[in-house]
């Protein structure tokens, strides 16, 4: 899952980004309205998290524009993260188009729980993904194949999760870079192939992720 985190407090932004990356999310940071606007014009995000008090504009206005400005790529889900805790502020945020509203200060565990809830709302999955003999516990970050637990790195877990959300679909390397890696990824590297090789080796035979020549990769469904 690729997340846009719009937060003007640089220290808080770095801490949240580090925590989310450790949870196997890809995270892009924006500290200003202008930077967030630019990123939303050029990238597709699964979730965008908006602080409202930005130094060069109101984050709430940016949330509103997601529903009206054709030049912005609307994230699948939006979450407001703000210190504005009045009921009127919450109502305004949700009415502007946000899917959820979390007041600062918040516990990091609650943030990740809300992100999982937003992902379930998007894909109609519960907290456990199952494809064939693969099972993934989204909350505990654990994976089993045919009852055998696999030890995956955060990136391998994130890659497998994306495949499981899109089981049976052909996914190009560009799609995988877009949703599993963040803006720091170099599209000219072999990052996808290297991590995919490691993941396949851990999954074992028969390989559940197959290569489609000239097109990409597919997680085989039963």
């Amino acid at each position: 899952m690729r997340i846009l985190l719009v937060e003007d407090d640089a220290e808080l932004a770095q801490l949240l980004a580090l925590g989310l990356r450790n949870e196997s999310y890809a995270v892009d940071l924006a500290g200003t309205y202008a930077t967030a606007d630019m990123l939303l014009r050029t990238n597709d995000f699964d979730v965008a998290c908006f602080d409202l008090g930005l130094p060069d504009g109101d984050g709430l206005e940016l949330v509103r524009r997601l529903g009206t400005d054709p030049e912005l790529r609307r994230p699948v889900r939006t979450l407001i993260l703000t210190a504005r805790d009045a009921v009127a502020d919450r109502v305004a945020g949700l009415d502007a188009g946000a899917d959820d509203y979390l007041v600062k200060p918040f516990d990091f565990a609650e943030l990740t729980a809300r992100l999982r809830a937003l992902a379930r709302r998007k894909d109609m999955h519960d907290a456990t993904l199952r494809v064939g003999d693969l099972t993934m516990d989204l909350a505990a970050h654990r994976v089993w194949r045919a009852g055998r637990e696999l030890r995956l790195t955060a990136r391998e877990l994130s890659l497998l999760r994306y495949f499981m959300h899109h089981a049976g679909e052909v996914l190009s390397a560009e799609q995988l870079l877009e949703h599993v890696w963040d803006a720091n990824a170099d599209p000219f590297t072999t990052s996808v192939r290297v991590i995919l090789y490691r993941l396949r080796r851990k999954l074992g035979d028969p390989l559940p992720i197959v290569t489609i020549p000239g097109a990409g990769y597919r997680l085989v469904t039963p």
Side-chain angles (χ1 to χ4, degrees):
M1 180 187 292
R2 188 172 183 179
I3 297 173
L4 172 62
L5 179 59
V6 184
E7 172 58 61
D8 69 325
D9 184 328
E11 183 177 357
L12 176 59
Q14 290 295 335
L15 286 173
L16 291 175
L18 177 62
L20 291 171
R21 286 167 182 155
N22 286 338
E23 294 287 321
S24 77
Y25 296 107
V27 183
D28 292 281
L29 295 176
T32 64
Y33 185 106
T35 302
D37 181 279
M38 181 271 293
L39 289 172
L40 287 165
R41 291 172 185 269
T42 56
N43 297 285
D44 293 313
F45 294 100
D46 299 291
V47 179
C49 302
F50 292 97
D51 184 17
L52 299 184
L54 301 173
D56 57 343
D58 187 355
L60 190 62
E61 176 59 26
L62 192 54
V63 174
R64 291 193 184 100
R65 284 181 54 212
L66 291 174
T68 59
D69 191 336
E71 294 187 359
L72 298 183
R73 300 186 183 185
R74 185 184 180 98
V76 178
R77 297 294 177 195
T78 57
L79 169 62
I80 291 177
L81 303 174
T82 180
R84 300 179 190 176
D85 60 354
V87 172
D89 292 318
R90 298 175 193 237
V91 171
L94 296 171
D95 282 347
D99 296 289
D100 201 356
Y101 194 106
L102 184 57
V103 175
K104 300 175 184 175
F106 52 82
D107 191 276
F108 183 75
E110 182 178 3
L111 172 60
T112 56
R114 288 178 184 248
L115 289 173
R116 290 194 298 270
L118 290 175
R120 291 197 300 272
R121 195 183 306 177
K122 167 194 169 187
D123 295 301
M124 300 304 291
H125 288 300
D126 57 18
T128 302
L129 294 179
R130 293 184 178 86
V131 177
D133 60 359
L134 286 170
T135 303
M136 179 180 291
D137 185 326
L138 295 174
H141 301 282
R142 300 174 67 186
V143 178
W144 297 263
R145 185 175 190 193
R148 177 178 62 90
E149 186 167 4
L150 309 178
R151 302 296 181 184
L152 304 183
T153 66
R155 185 70 71 194
E156 292 163 355
L157 183 75
S158 183
L159 183 60
L160 180 59
R161 178 172 58 196
Y162 192 73
F163 271 111
M164 292 180 74
H165 277 308
H166 299 274
E169 300 177 29
V170 177
L171 304 175
S172 67
E174 291 75 15
Q175 283 177 278
L176 297 174
L177 273 172
E178 182 75 21
H179 291 276
V180 181
W181 278 260
D182 53 35
N184 296 318
D186 183 352
F188 300 104
T189 70
T190 57
S191 296
V192 171
R193 282 186 293 173
V194 169
I195 300 300
L196 185 55
Y197 170 78
R198 294 174 182 169
L199 175 60
R200 281 168 153 173
R201 187 172 60 182
K202 291 182 180 181
L203 289 172
D205 293 322
L207 287 177
I209 300 174
V210 298
T211 300
I212 309 300
Y217 311 94
R218 182 176 65 206
L219 175 61
V220 177
T221 57

